[in-house]
Amino acid sequence: MIAYASRTGTRRNLAALRDAGWRILVSARGVLRNEGFRYALDNGAWTAFTQGEPFDVAAFEKALDLMGAEADWVASPDIVGGGMRSLELSESWLPRLIDARLVLIPVQDGLTASDVRPLLGNRVGIFLGGSTEWKLATMREWGELAREVGCYYHVARVNTRRRIEMCSEAGATSFDGSSASRFAASLPRLERARCQPSLFGRAS
């Protein structure tokens, strides 16, 4: 699995991440810098949600213009906890996003495989967001869908060894978390979990 850590400016933590071969997740609501790492671009909806603010379209467009072209993938705009409304928003952005890059559709509480399947393919994958309880309960189901259609599958907010193992068991292509960005000492145990052989034969 590919591991993404939330962008940090802490040199010690960046050095540890670089040595372990991790990548960086840059948020449209954060500092728009990749610190020399390969990176993916998050839309910033989670940050807006945690701060009680609406989705910042201008910030996302700026991040897209500055960093979208070189990103491994871009998370389409979504609504945290928004279910079908979130999916409709994500789908509305696809015409603008899909031509030049891999786009991931964030799936939220209440969505099902049948809701999302028609949109998926080589250029459009799954970004598993939503509440922690729902995410853990449905992680395998989304992995099955990703294998069925042959698309990329990312799991958000993964900060423990057990959850990394769950991602591997579900067949995730990648995951992200903030623990390794904040605490370099946590990286070795997270890295051991990431490098365990996957049940689905994915490269670590």
Side-chain angles (χ1 to χ4, degrees), residues 19-60:
D19 288 344
W22 284 43
R23 303 181 189 182
I24 294 292
L25 183 65
V26 176
S27 171
R29 287 289 302 269
V31 178
L32 300 180
R33 199 168 62 224
N34 70 332
E35 310 300 343
F37 285 71
R38 288 190 61 174
Y39 66 95
L41 182 61
D42 188 29
N43 60 43
W46 176 255
T47 300
F49 172 76
T50 59
Q51 296 180 0
E53 299 172 356
F55 177 70
D56 192 333
V57 174
F60 178 64

Side-chain angles (χ1 to χ4, degrees), residues 1 143 146-147 153 166-174 198 200 202:
M1 286 187 299
R147 289 192 298 278
Y153 177 34
M166 291 178 68
C167 290
S168 178
E169 291 164 3
T173 314
S174 63
S198 168
F200 300 98
R202 296 186 186 275

